[in-house]
mmCIF file of all heavy atoms in Angstrom:
data_model
loop_
_atom_site.group_PDB
_atom_site.id
_atom_site.type_symbol
_atom_site.label_atom_id
_atom_site.label_comp_id
_atom_site.label_asym_id
_atom_site.label_seq_id
_atom_site.Cartn_x
_atom_site.Cartn_y
_atom_site.Cartn_z
ATOM 1 N N GLY C 1508 5.715 6.158 -15.592
ATOM 2 C CA GLY C 1508 5.120 6.571 -16.853
ATOM 3 C C GLY C 1508 3.797 5.830 -17.029
ATOM 4 O O GLY C 1508 2.781 6.406 -17.358
ATOM 5 N N TRP C 1509 3.816 4.523 -16.764
ATOM 6 C CA TRP C 1509 2.658 3.667 -16.989
ATOM 7 C C TRP C 1509 2.536 2.702 -15.824
ATOM 8 O O TRP C 1509 3.448 1.936 -15.551
ATOM 9 C CB TRP C 1509 2.820 2.911 -18.315
ATOM 10 C CG TRP C 1509 3.156 3.851 -19.426
ATOM 11 C CD1 TRP C 1509 4.418 4.207 -19.825
ATOM 12 C CD2 TRP C 1509 2.247 4.605 -20.254
ATOM 13 N NE1 TRP C 1509 4.335 5.123 -20.843
ATOM 14 C CE2 TRP C 1509 3.026 5.382 -21.138
ATOM 15 C CE3 TRP C 1509 0.852 4.670 -20.330
ATOM 16 C CZ2 TRP C 1509 2.450 6.231 -22.082
ATOM 17 C CZ3 TRP C 1509 0.291 5.508 -21.287
ATOM 18 C CH2 TRP C 1509 1.082 6.274 -22.139
ATOM 19 N N LYS C 1511 1.541 -0.454 -13.520
ATOM 20 C CA LYS C 1511 1.293 -1.887 -13.660
ATOM 21 C C LYS C 1511 0.694 -2.396 -12.356
ATOM 22 O O LYS C 1511 1.167 -2.008 -11.276
ATOM 23 C CB LYS C 1511 2.604 -2.658 -13.876
ATOM 24 C CG LYS C 1511 3.530 -2.110 -14.935
ATOM 25 C CD LYS C 1511 3.201 -2.639 -16.296
ATOM 26 C CE LYS C 1511 4.286 -2.280 -17.275
ATOM 27 N NZ LYS C 1511 3.793 -2.213 -18.645
ATOM 28 N N ASN C 1512 -0.271 -3.286 -12.469
ATOM 29 C CA ASN C 1512 -0.852 -3.877 -11.260
ATOM 30 C C ASN C 1512 0.248 -4.509 -10.414
ATOM 31 O O ASN C 1512 1.009 -5.333 -10.901
ATOM 32 C CB ASN C 1512 -1.836 -4.998 -11.610
ATOM 33 C CG ASN C 1512 -3.093 -4.467 -12.245
ATOM 34 O OD1 ASN C 1512 -3.349 -3.266 -12.217
ATOM 35 N ND2 ASN C 1512 -3.874 -5.370 -12.809
ATOM 36 N N GLN C 1838 1.592 -9.713 -5.365
ATOM 37 C CA GLN C 1838 1.764 -10.366 -6.666
ATOM 38 C C GLN C 1838 0.800 -11.536 -6.835
ATOM 39 O O GLN C 1838 0.878 -12.260 -7.827
ATOM 40 C CB GLN C 1838 3.211 -10.874 -6.836
ATOM 41 C CG GLN C 1838 4.300 -9.816 -6.684
ATOM 42 C CD GLN C 1838 4.071 -8.628 -7.583
ATOM 43 O OE1 GLN C 1838 3.598 -8.767 -8.697
ATOM 44 N NE2 GLN C 1838 4.347 -7.444 -7.066
ATOM 45 N N ASN C 1857 9.813 0.149 -8.442
ATOM 46 C CA ASN C 1857 8.721 0.008 -9.397
ATOM 47 C C ASN C 1857 9.175 -0.088 -10.847
ATOM 48 O O ASN C 1857 8.854 0.753 -11.670
ATOM 49 C CB ASN C 1857 7.725 1.154 -9.242
ATOM 50 C CG ASN C 1857 8.394 2.496 -9.474
ATOM 51 O OD1 ASN C 1857 9.384 2.812 -8.830
ATOM 52 N ND2 ASN C 1857 7.898 3.266 -10.391
ATOM 53 N N GLU C 1858 9.943 -1.106 -11.146
ATOM 54 C CA GLU C 1858 10.138 -1.543 -12.527
ATOM 55 C C GLU C 1858 9.707 -2.991 -12.525
ATOM 56 O O GLU C 1858 10.278 -3.798 -11.785
ATOM 57 C CB GLU C 1858 11.612 -1.491 -12.931
ATOM 58 C CG GLU C 1858 12.141 -0.119 -13.216
ATOM 59 C CD GLU C 1858 13.649 -0.151 -13.464
ATOM 60 O OE1 GLU C 1858 14.373 -0.498 -12.519
ATOM 61 O OE2 GLU C 1858 14.090 0.159 -14.554
ATOM 62 N N TRP C 1859 8.739 -3.327 -13.374
ATOM 63 C CA TRP C 1859 8.196 -4.678 -13.272
ATOM 64 C C TRP C 1859 9.258 -5.740 -13.464
ATOM 65 O O TRP C 1859 9.222 -6.792 -12.827
ATOM 66 C CB TRP C 1859 7.026 -4.877 -14.251
ATOM 67 C CG TRP C 1859 7.365 -4.795 -15.708
ATOM 68 C CD1 TRP C 1859 7.308 -3.688 -16.498
ATOM 69 C CD2 TRP C 1859 7.796 -5.856 -16.566
ATOM 70 N NE1 TRP C 1859 7.677 -3.985 -17.776
ATOM 71 C CE2 TRP C 1859 7.979 -5.310 -17.856
ATOM 72 C CE3 TRP C 1859 8.044 -7.223 -16.370
ATOM 73 C CZ2 TRP C 1859 8.397 -6.082 -18.948
ATOM 74 C CZ3 TRP C 1859 8.463 -7.985 -17.452
ATOM 75 C CH2 TRP C 1859 8.641 -7.417 -18.722
ATOM 76 N N GLU C 1860 10.216 -5.438 -14.363
ATOM 77 C CA GLU C 1860 11.224 -6.441 -14.671
ATOM 78 C C GLU C 1860 12.187 -6.654 -13.505
ATOM 79 O O GLU C 1860 12.914 -7.641 -13.471
ATOM 80 C CB GLU C 1860 11.957 -6.069 -15.959
ATOM 81 C CG GLU C 1860 12.762 -4.772 -15.893
ATOM 82 C CD GLU C 1860 11.957 -3.513 -16.230
ATOM 83 O OE1 GLU C 1860 10.710 -3.557 -16.161
ATOM 84 O OE2 GLU C 1860 12.583 -2.495 -16.549
ATOM 85 N N ARG C 1907 5.547 -20.086 -6.846
ATOM 86 C CA ARG C 1907 6.023 -19.305 -8.003
ATOM 87 C C ARG C 1907 6.416 -20.203 -9.184
ATOM 88 O O ARG C 1907 6.439 -19.761 -10.334
ATOM 89 C CB ARG C 1907 7.185 -18.407 -7.561
ATOM 90 C CG ARG C 1907 7.745 -17.469 -8.613
ATOM 91 C CD ARG C 1907 6.721 -16.500 -9.144
ATOM 92 N NE ARG C 1907 7.315 -15.406 -9.894
ATOM 93 C CZ ARG C 1907 7.838 -15.522 -11.115
ATOM 94 N NH1 ARG C 1907 7.833 -16.694 -11.729
ATOM 95 N NH2 ARG C 1907 8.355 -14.462 -11.711
ATOM 96 N N HIS C 1909 5.856 -23.279 -11.908
ATOM 97 C CA HIS C 1909 4.697 -23.932 -12.513
ATOM 98 C C HIS C 1909 5.173 -25.238 -13.134
ATOM 99 O O HIS C 1909 6.365 -25.423 -13.418
ATOM 100 C CB HIS C 1909 4.006 -23.040 -13.536
ATOM 101 C CG HIS C 1909 4.733 -22.919 -14.840
ATOM 102 N ND1 HIS C 1909 5.723 -21.983 -15.061
ATOM 103 C CD2 HIS C 1909 4.641 -23.630 -16.001
ATOM 104 C CE1 HIS C 1909 6.195 -22.113 -16.286
ATOM 105 N NE2 HIS C 1909 5.568 -23.122 -16.892
ATOM 106 N N ASN C 1930 15.994 -9.303 -19.233
ATOM 107 C CA ASN C 1930 14.795 -9.245 -18.386
ATOM 108 C C ASN C 1930 13.776 -10.258 -18.855
ATOM 109 O O ASN C 1930 13.742 -10.596 -20.028
ATOM 110 C CB ASN C 1930 14.139 -7.865 -18.481
ATOM 111 C CG ASN C 1930 14.959 -6.754 -17.843
ATOM 112 O OD1 ASN C 1930 14.890 -5.620 -18.284
ATOM 113 N ND2 ASN C 1930 15.736 -7.056 -16.826
ATOM 114 N N ASN C 1931 12.936 -10.653 -17.929
ATOM 115 C CA ASN C 1931 11.794 -11.500 -18.270
ATOM 116 C C ASN C 1931 12.237 -12.754 -19.024
ATOM 117 O O ASN C 1931 11.677 -13.097 -20.050
ATOM 118 C CB ASN C 1931 10.789 -10.708 -19.116
ATOM 119 C CG ASN C 1931 9.421 -11.363 -19.146
ATOM 120 O OD1 ASN C 1931 8.950 -11.882 -18.127
ATOM 121 N ND2 ASN C 1931 8.775 -11.399 -20.293
ATOM 122 N N ASN C 1933 13.133 -16.982 -19.022
ATOM 123 C CA ASN C 1933 12.546 -18.190 -18.452
ATOM 124 C C ASN C 1933 13.637 -19.147 -18.001
ATOM 125 O O ASN C 1933 14.624 -19.359 -18.695
ATOM 126 C CB ASN C 1933 11.668 -18.888 -19.494
ATOM 127 C CG ASN C 1933 10.474 -18.031 -19.883
ATOM 128 O OD1 ASN C 1933 9.996 -17.225 -19.096
ATOM 129 N ND2 ASN C 1933 10.008 -18.189 -21.108
ATOM 130 N N THR C 1997 16.767 -19.520 -23.669
ATOM 131 C CA THR C 1997 17.146 -19.256 -25.065
ATOM 132 C C THR C 1997 18.473 -18.502 -25.186
ATOM 133 O O THR C 1997 18.781 -17.967 -26.242
ATOM 134 C CB THR C 1997 16.032 -18.444 -25.768
ATOM 135 O OG1 THR C 1997 15.805 -17.256 -25.013
ATOM 136 C CG2 THR C 1997 14.745 -19.245 -25.861
ATOM 137 N N ASP C 2000 20.796 -19.165 -28.114
ATOM 138 C CA ASP C 2000 20.360 -18.734 -29.448
ATOM 139 C C ASP C 2000 20.901 -17.364 -29.818
ATOM 140 O O ASP C 2000 20.748 -16.907 -30.950
ATOM 141 C CB ASP C 2000 18.822 -18.662 -29.507
ATOM 142 C CG ASP C 2000 18.203 -20.044 -29.633
ATOM 143 O OD1 ASP C 2000 18.921 -20.994 -30.004
ATOM 144 O OD2 ASP C 2000 16.991 -20.166 -29.358
ATOM 145 N N ASN C 2017 26.131 0.475 -21.127
ATOM 146 C CA ASN C 2017 24.982 1.200 -20.574
ATOM 147 C C ASN C 2017 25.046 2.705 -20.836
ATOM 148 O O ASN C 2017 24.082 3.412 -20.594
ATOM 149 C CB ASN C 2017 24.787 0.901 -19.082
ATOM 150 C CG ASN C 2017 25.975 1.325 -18.260
ATOM 151 O OD1 ASN C 2017 26.805 2.113 -18.714
ATOM 152 N ND2 ASN C 2017 26.086 0.788 -17.057
ATOM 153 N N TRP C 2020 24.697 2.117 -25.614
ATOM 154 C CA TRP C 2020 23.725 1.329 -26.361
ATOM 155 C C TRP C 2020 22.310 1.609 -25.877
ATOM 156 O O TRP C 2020 22.098 1.894 -24.701
ATOM 157 C CB TRP C 2020 24.010 -0.177 -26.187
ATOM 158 C CG TRP C 2020 25.118 -0.685 -27.067
ATOM 159 C CD1 TRP C 2020 26.060 0.065 -27.718
ATOM 160 C CD2 TRP C 2020 25.404 -2.057 -27.372
ATOM 161 N NE1 TRP C 2020 26.903 -0.771 -28.403
ATOM 162 C CE2 TRP C 2020 26.528 -2.070 -28.224
ATOM 163 C CE3 TRP C 2020 24.818 -3.278 -27.018
ATOM 164 C CZ2 TRP C 2020 27.067 -3.257 -28.718
ATOM 165 C CZ3 TRP C 2020 25.367 -4.451 -27.508
ATOM 166 C CH2 TRP C 2020 26.476 -4.439 -28.351
ATOM 167 N N SER C 2021 21.367 1.435 -26.802
ATOM 168 C CA SER C 2021 19.969 1.514 -26.394
ATOM 169 C C SER C 2021 19.661 0.306 -25.520
ATOM 170 O O SER C 2021 20.337 -0.726 -25.595
ATOM 171 C CB SER C 2021 19.048 1.513 -27.615
ATOM 172 O OG SER C 2021 19.015 0.215 -28.196
ATOM 173 N N TRP C 2022 18.642 0.457 -24.730
ATOM 174 C CA TRP C 2022 18.237 -0.630 -23.836
ATOM 175 C C TRP C 2022 17.831 -1.860 -24.664
ATOM 176 O O TRP C 2022 18.107 -3.005 -24.292
ATOM 177 C CB TRP C 2022 17.097 -0.149 -22.948
ATOM 178 C CG TRP C 2022 16.685 -1.116 -21.889
ATOM 179 C CD1 TRP C 2022 15.455 -1.652 -21.700
ATOM 180 C CD2 TRP C 2022 17.530 -1.661 -20.861
ATOM 181 N NE1 TRP C 2022 15.474 -2.508 -20.623
ATOM 182 C CE2 TRP C 2022 16.728 -2.528 -20.093
ATOM 183 C CE3 TRP C 2022 18.879 -1.508 -20.520
ATOM 184 C CZ2 TRP C 2022 17.238 -3.242 -19.005
ATOM 185 C CZ3 TRP C 2022 19.388 -2.219 -19.435
ATOM 186 C CH2 TRP C 2022 18.566 -3.074 -18.694
ATOM 187 N N ARG C 2027 19.021 -7.582 -26.001
ATOM 188 C CA ARG C 2027 19.127 -8.672 -26.961
ATOM 189 C C ARG C 2027 20.543 -9.205 -27.097
ATOM 190 O O ARG C 2027 20.771 -10.234 -27.698
ATOM 191 C CB ARG C 2027 18.617 -8.197 -28.324
ATOM 192 C CG ARG C 2027 17.112 -7.995 -28.326
ATOM 193 C CD ARG C 2027 16.590 -7.639 -29.695
ATOM 194 N NE ARG C 2027 17.009 -6.331 -30.139
ATOM 195 C CZ ARG C 2027 17.811 -6.101 -31.185
ATOM 196 N NH1 ARG C 2027 18.299 -7.094 -31.883
ATOM 197 N NH2 ARG C 2027 18.114 -4.858 -31.521
ATOM 198 N N TRP N 1262 12.043 5.128 -14.034
ATOM 199 C CA TRP N 1262 13.451 4.776 -14.264
ATOM 200 C C TRP N 1262 13.733 4.899 -15.748
ATOM 201 O O TRP N 1262 13.111 4.246 -16.573
ATOM 202 C CB TRP N 1262 13.718 3.341 -13.779
ATOM 203 C CG TRP N 1262 13.230 3.153 -12.377
ATOM 204 C CD1 TRP N 1262 11.995 2.737 -11.982
ATOM 205 C CD2 TRP N 1262 13.956 3.441 -11.173
ATOM 206 N NE1 TRP N 1262 11.910 2.758 -10.628
ATOM 207 C CE2 TRP N 1262 13.087 3.164 -10.096
ATOM 208 C CE3 TRP N 1262 15.249 3.895 -10.898
ATOM 209 C CZ2 TRP N 1262 13.484 3.329 -8.764
ATOM 210 C CZ3 TRP N 1262 15.640 4.052 -9.581
ATOM 211 C CH2 TRP N 1262 14.760 3.769 -8.534
ATOM 212 N N LYS N 1264 15.415 4.557 -19.382
ATOM 213 C CA LYS N 1264 16.155 3.568 -20.175
ATOM 214 C C LYS N 1264 16.730 4.278 -21.399
ATOM 215 O O LYS N 1264 16.017 5.082 -22.023
ATOM 216 C CB LYS N 1264 15.226 2.460 -20.698
ATOM 217 C CG LYS N 1264 14.306 1.835 -19.684
ATOM 218 C CD LYS N 1264 14.955 0.722 -18.933
ATOM 219 C CE LYS N 1264 13.935 -0.033 -18.111
ATOM 220 N NZ LYS N 1264 14.532 -0.695 -16.959
ATOM 221 N N ASN N 1265 17.925 3.925 -21.785
ATOM 222 C CA ASN N 1265 18.507 4.504 -22.995
ATOM 223 C C ASN N 1265 17.593 4.255 -24.185
ATOM 224 O O ASN N 1265 17.221 3.104 -24.442
ATOM 225 C CB ASN N 1265 19.856 3.853 -23.333
ATOM 226 C CG ASN N 1265 20.939 4.230 -22.357
ATOM 227 O OD1 ASN N 1265 20.767 5.124 -21.549
ATOM 228 N ND2 ASN N 1265 22.054 3.531 -22.424
ATOM 229 N N GLN N 1591 17.471 3.477 -31.493
ATOM 230 C CA GLN N 1591 17.687 2.129 -30.957
ATOM 231 C C GLN N 1591 18.999 1.541 -31.469
ATOM 232 O O GLN N 1591 19.286 0.367 -31.200
ATOM 233 C CB GLN N 1591 16.534 1.196 -31.353
ATOM 234 C CG GLN N 1591 15.157 1.655 -30.924
ATOM 235 C CD GLN N 1591 15.075 1.959 -29.454
ATOM 236 O OE1 GLN N 1591 15.697 1.298 -28.638
ATOM 237 N NE2 GLN N 1591 14.337 2.988 -29.104
ATOM 238 N N ASN N 1610 6.856 5.460 -23.890
ATOM 239 C CA ASN N 1610 8.041 5.109 -23.114
ATOM 240 C C ASN N 1610 7.831 3.959 -22.144
ATOM 241 O O ASN N 1610 7.948 4.109 -20.943
ATOM 242 C CB ASN N 1610 8.552 6.333 -22.341
ATOM 243 C CG ASN N 1610 7.503 6.892 -21.422
ATOM 244 O OD1 ASN N 1610 6.409 7.185 -21.854
ATOM 245 N ND2 ASN N 1610 7.801 7.012 -20.153
ATOM 246 N N GLU N 1611 7.488 2.817 -22.688
ATOM 247 C CA GLU N 1611 7.640 1.564 -21.945
ATOM 248 C C GLU N 1611 8.550 0.715 -22.819
ATOM 249 O O GLU N 1611 8.212 0.443 -23.973
ATOM 250 C CB GLU N 1611 6.306 0.842 -21.797
ATOM 251 C CG GLU N 1611 5.375 1.411 -20.759
ATOM 252 C CD GLU N 1611 4.032 0.711 -20.791
ATOM 253 O OE1 GLU N 1611 3.343 0.847 -21.823
ATOM 254 O OE2 GLU N 1611 3.661 0.038 -19.813
ATOM 255 N N TRP N 1612 9.662 0.275 -22.288
ATOM 256 C CA TRP N 1612 10.626 -0.405 -23.165
ATOM 257 C C TRP N 1612 9.999 -1.615 -23.844
ATOM 258 O O TRP N 1612 10.279 -1.922 -25.000
ATOM 259 C CB TRP N 1612 11.905 -0.781 -22.413
ATOM 260 C CG TRP N 1612 11.744 -1.793 -21.310
ATOM 261 C CD1 TRP N 1612 11.518 -1.522 -19.990
ATOM 262 C CD2 TRP N 1612 11.810 -3.216 -21.424
ATOM 263 N NE1 TRP N 1612 11.434 -2.679 -19.279
ATOM 264 C CE2 TRP N 1612 11.618 -3.746 -20.129
ATOM 265 C CE3 TRP N 1612 12.026 -4.097 -22.480
ATOM 266 C CZ2 TRP N 1612 11.625 -5.117 -19.865
ATOM 267 C CZ3 TRP N 1612 12.038 -5.458 -22.213
ATOM 268 C CH2 TRP N 1612 11.841 -5.955 -20.924
ATOM 269 N N GLU N 1613 9.124 -2.304 -23.098
ATOM 270 C CA GLU N 1613 8.559 -3.546 -23.641
ATOM 271 C C GLU N 1613 7.579 -3.265 -24.766
ATOM 272 O O GLU N 1613 7.216 -4.168 -25.513
ATOM 273 C CB GLU N 1613 7.922 -4.361 -22.515
ATOM 274 C CG GLU N 1613 6.729 -3.726 -21.816
ATOM 275 C CD GLU N 1613 7.082 -2.767 -20.689
ATOM 276 O OE1 GLU N 1613 8.243 -2.299 -20.639
ATOM 277 O OE2 GLU N 1613 6.208 -2.474 -19.855
ATOM 278 N N ARG N 1660 17.473 -5.889 -37.598
ATOM 279 C CA ARG N 1660 16.927 -6.259 -36.295
ATOM 280 C C ARG N 1660 17.017 -7.761 -36.035
ATOM 281 O O ARG N 1660 16.983 -8.212 -34.888
ATOM 282 C CB ARG N 1660 15.484 -5.766 -36.196
ATOM 283 C CG ARG N 1660 14.760 -5.985 -34.869
ATOM 284 C CD ARG N 1660 15.440 -5.300 -33.709
ATOM 285 N NE ARG N 1660 14.602 -5.268 -32.504
ATOM 286 C CZ ARG N 1660 14.312 -6.330 -31.747
ATOM 287 N NH1 ARG N 1660 14.769 -7.538 -32.064
ATOM 288 N NH2 ARG N 1660 13.558 -6.177 -30.671
ATOM 289 N N HIS N 1662 18.919 -11.448 -35.874
ATOM 290 C CA HIS N 1662 20.302 -11.904 -35.700
ATOM 291 C C HIS N 1662 20.378 -13.356 -36.138
ATOM 292 O O HIS N 1662 19.357 -14.057 -36.202
ATOM 293 C CB HIS N 1662 20.775 -11.719 -34.260
ATOM 294 C CG HIS N 1662 20.226 -12.740 -33.300
ATOM 295 N ND1 HIS N 1662 19.026 -12.567 -32.649
ATOM 296 C CD2 HIS N 1662 20.695 -13.951 -32.891
ATOM 297 C CE1 HIS N 1662 18.772 -13.619 -31.875
ATOM 298 N NE2 HIS N 1662 19.757 -14.481 -32.012
ATOM 299 N N ASN N 1683 5.659 -10.039 -22.649
ATOM 300 C CA ASN N 1683 6.645 -9.063 -23.104
ATOM 301 C C ASN N 1683 8.004 -9.720 -23.265
ATOM 302 O O ASN N 1683 8.302 -10.706 -22.580
ATOM 303 C CB ASN N 1683 6.816 -7.941 -22.066
ATOM 304 C CG ASN N 1683 5.593 -7.050 -21.930
ATOM 305 O OD1 ASN N 1683 5.316 -6.548 -20.869
ATOM 306 N ND2 ASN N 1683 4.863 -6.866 -23.005
ATOM 307 N N ASN N 1684 8.805 -9.106 -24.129
ATOM 308 C CA ASN N 1684 10.198 -9.536 -24.281
ATOM 309 C C ASN N 1684 10.292 -11.028 -24.567
ATOM 310 O O ASN N 1684 11.033 -11.746 -23.918
ATOM 311 C CB ASN N 1684 10.987 -9.194 -23.007
ATOM 312 C CG ASN N 1684 12.489 -9.183 -23.246
ATOM 313 O OD1 ASN N 1684 12.950 -8.726 -24.289
ATOM 314 N ND2 ASN N 1684 13.254 -9.712 -22.321
ATOM 315 N N ASN N 1686 10.908 -14.221 -27.427
ATOM 316 C CA ASN N 1686 11.788 -14.476 -28.563
ATOM 317 C C ASN N 1686 11.032 -15.215 -29.655
ATOM 318 O O ASN N 1686 10.299 -16.157 -29.382
ATOM 319 C CB ASN N 1686 12.987 -15.323 -28.129
ATOM 320 C CG ASN N 1686 13.859 -14.588 -27.122
ATOM 321 O OD1 ASN N 1686 13.917 -13.358 -27.125
ATOM 322 N ND2 ASN N 1686 14.525 -15.333 -26.255
ATOM 323 N N THR N 1750 8.991 -20.181 -26.046
ATOM 324 C CA THR N 1750 8.722 -21.029 -24.876
ATOM 325 C C THR N 1750 7.251 -21.029 -24.470
ATOM 326 O O THR N 1750 6.912 -21.443 -23.362
ATOM 327 C CB THR N 1750 9.576 -20.557 -23.673
ATOM 328 O OG1 THR N 1750 9.278 -19.183 -23.434
ATOM 329 C CG2 THR N 1750 11.059 -20.715 -23.962
ATOM 330 N N ASP N 1753 5.686 -24.166 -22.992
ATOM 331 C CA ASP N 1753 6.127 -24.596 -21.659
ATOM 332 C C ASP N 1753 5.205 -24.077 -20.561
ATOM 333 O O ASP N 1753 5.342 -24.460 -19.393
ATOM 334 C CB ASP N 1753 7.539 -24.068 -21.375
ATOM 335 C CG ASP N 1753 8.600 -24.890 -22.089
ATOM 336 O OD1 ASP N 1753 8.287 -26.013 -22.530
ATOM 337 O OD2 ASP N 1753 9.732 -24.396 -22.209
ATOM 338 N N ASN N 1770 -6.842 -7.993 -16.231
ATOM 339 C CA ASN N 1770 -6.083 -6.743 -16.034
ATOM 340 C C ASN N 1770 -6.603 -5.900 -14.872
ATOM 341 O O ASN N 1770 -5.965 -4.954 -14.461
ATOM 342 C CB ASN N 1770 -5.983 -5.928 -17.332
ATOM 343 C CG ASN N 1770 -7.338 -5.479 -17.835
ATOM 344 O OD1 ASN N 1770 -8.315 -5.478 -17.083
ATOM 345 N ND2 ASN N 1770 -7.421 -5.106 -19.108
ATOM 346 N N TRP N 1773 -5.475 -9.297 -11.608
ATOM 347 C CA TRP N 1773 -4.202 -9.988 -11.421
ATOM 348 C C TRP N 1773 -3.047 -9.008 -11.438
ATOM 349 O O TRP N 1773 -3.096 -7.980 -12.107
ATOM 350 C CB TRP N 1773 -3.992 -11.007 -12.556
ATOM 351 C CG TRP N 1773 -4.737 -12.297 -12.385
ATOM 352 C CD1 TRP N 1773 -5.783 -12.539 -11.544
ATOM 353 C CD2 TRP N 1773 -4.500 -13.516 -13.094
ATOM 354 N NE1 TRP N 1773 -6.198 -13.832 -11.677
ATOM 355 C CE2 TRP N 1773 -5.437 -14.460 -12.630
ATOM 356 C CE3 TRP N 1773 -3.595 -13.907 -14.082
ATOM 357 C CZ2 TRP N 1773 -5.480 -15.768 -13.106
ATOM 358 C CZ3 TRP N 1773 -3.639 -15.205 -14.558
ATOM 359 C CH2 TRP N 1773 -4.562 -16.134 -14.075
ATOM 360 N N SER N 1774 -1.984 -9.391 -10.730
ATOM 361 C CA SER N 1774 -0.752 -8.607 -10.811
ATOM 362 C C SER N 1774 -0.170 -8.776 -12.209
ATOM 363 O O SER N 1774 -0.437 -9.761 -12.899
ATOM 364 C CB SER N 1774 0.261 -9.090 -9.781
ATOM 365 O OG SER N 1774 0.787 -10.345 -10.164
ATOM 366 N N TRP N 1775 0.618 -7.813 -12.581
ATOM 367 C CA TRP N 1775 1.261 -7.846 -13.890
ATOM 368 C C TRP N 1775 2.149 -9.088 -14.005
ATOM 369 O O TRP N 1775 2.227 -9.728 -15.068
ATOM 370 C CB TRP N 1775 2.054 -6.560 -14.091
ATOM 371 C CG TRP N 1775 2.623 -6.418 -15.474
ATOM 372 C CD1 TRP N 1775 3.938 -6.264 -15.816
ATOM 373 C CD2 TRP N 1775 1.890 -6.400 -16.715
ATOM 374 N NE1 TRP N 1775 4.060 -6.168 -17.177
ATOM 375 C CE2 TRP N 1775 2.827 -6.245 -17.762
ATOM 376 C CE3 TRP N 1775 0.538 -6.514 -17.042
ATOM 377 C CZ2 TRP N 1775 2.452 -6.199 -19.099
ATOM 378 C CZ3 TRP N 1775 0.171 -6.476 -18.383
ATOM 379 C CH2 TRP N 1775 1.125 -6.315 -19.389
ATOM 380 N N ARG N 1780 3.125 -14.270 -16.856
ATOM 381 C CA ARG N 1780 3.524 -15.676 -16.842
ATOM 382 C C ARG N 1780 2.399 -16.603 -17.273
ATOM 383 O O ARG N 1780 2.620 -17.784 -17.525
ATOM 384 C CB ARG N 1780 4.016 -16.056 -15.439
ATOM 385 C CG ARG N 1780 5.357 -15.435 -15.120
ATOM 386 C CD ARG N 1780 5.904 -15.915 -13.811
ATOM 387 N NE ARG N 1780 5.148 -15.447 -12.670
ATOM 388 C CZ ARG N 1780 4.434 -16.203 -11.850
ATOM 389 N NH1 ARG N 1780 4.371 -17.510 -12.034
ATOM 390 N NH2 ARG N 1780 3.787 -15.669 -10.841
#
Side-chain angles (χ1 to χ4, degrees):
Chain C
W1509 309 91
K1511 311 273 190 206
N1512 290 347
Q1838 303 307 324
N1857 60 305
E1858 284 174 296
W1859 65 267
E1860 64 273 20
R1907 184 60 166 73
H1909 75 273
N1930 291 150
N1931 197 40
N1933 296 332
T1997 56
D2000 283 342
N2017 61 17
W2020 280 17
S2021 73
W2022 186 238
R2027 290 185 292 115
Chain N
W1262 309 90
K1264 311 274 190 205
N1265 290 349
Q1591 303 307 324
N1610 58 306
E1611 283 174 295
W1612 65 268
E1613 64 275 19
R1660 183 60 168 71
H1662 76 272
N1683 292 148
N1684 199 39
N1686 296 332
T1750 57
D1753 282 344
N1770 63 18
W1773 280 17
S1774 72
W1775 187 238
R1780 288 186 292 113

